[in-house]
Amino acid sequence: MPAVPPTSFAIRPAVADDAPGCAFVHHTSWVETYSALLPAAHWESDTLERRAATWRLWLAGELTVTVAEECGRVVGVAFASAGRRIGDHPPVRDRELWLLYVLAAHHGTGVGQALLDAVLPPGTPAQLWVVEDNPRARRFYGRNGFRPDGARDVDAWSGLADVRCVR
């Protein structure tokens, strides 16, 4: 694997004007990560425009989102909140990492680690759901103390199988 050049980024709370950047990171990360796992028809409804509308709502509400910014551009996004029930699985931790995405060009630069540490400080007991067939994310979370606990759910919207990990 080639060395990743050092990067300079800032971690900060998201504001309403970040909705387009958050949507771009969220959508692009899905395309970069899941294109081979999802049918082409998935992308007819999973569009940048749909993600942007969702992010406008999220950032207008009470959701506390953290972004990584480089040169005035959002390159990563994360948020954690109360643990939630997924399918038949009640939460097993009070805190849950709901979302963490970093553009592929920024993988290995420390952006993902900085975002995770900002929304769930190291050692904080928490849970998260990760796509079962996402080895890169599973290794990242494993390095941060998250281990599968046996819970598995198939997401109704995407059809992707998720596994719960806890620390």
Side-chain angles (χ1 to χ4, degrees):
M1 174 184 278
V4 176
T7 185
S8 174
F9 58 88
I11 301 295
R12 63 171 177 78
V15 296
D17 287 345
D18 289 321
C22 292
F24 179 80
V25 168
H26 195 180
H27 185 263
T28 302
S29 294
W30 265 68
V31 170
E32 292 170 339
T33 306
Y34 303 122
S35 284
L37 301 176
L38 294 168
H42 172 87
W43 306 107
E44 293 170 12
S45 63
D46 185 356
T47 63
L48 181 56
E49 293 76 19
R50 179 178 181 200
R51 298 271 183 176
T54 298
W55 277 98
R56 282 191 297 278
L57 289 173
W58 284 350
L59 293 178
E62 296 180 13
L63 190 64
T64 302
V65 176
T66 301
V67 296
E69 181 181 66
E70 183 182 54
C71 300
R73 181 174 163 240
V74 175
V75 298
V77 61
F79 68 87
S81 191
R84 60 192 162 142
R85 176 181 204 86
I86 299 291
D88 294 333
H89 307 285
V92 294
R93 299 288 189 270
D94 291 337
R95 300 290 297 164
E96 179 175 342
L97 178 68
W98 285 45
L99 179 147
L100 192 159
Y101 290 105
V102 175
L103 295 174
H106 296 272
H107 287 177
T109 64
V111 168
Q113 189 65 57
L115 283 167
L116 179 61
D117 292 348
V119 300
L120 286 175
T124 302
Q127 66 181 39
L128 60 85
W129 289 86
V130 60
V131 171
E132 187 172 47
D133 195 13
N134 187 341
R136 181 182 187 89
R138 293 185 69 177
R139 284 190 307 272
F140 172 77
Y141 294 128
R143 285 192 307 271
N144 282 280
F146 287 93
R147 302 287 180 257
D149 73 349
R152 183 178 186 272
D153 188 76
V154 176
D155 181 77
W157 180 65
S158 69
L160 296 173
D162 295 323
V163 293
R164 184 174 59 201
C165 297
V166 298
R167 73 170 181 197

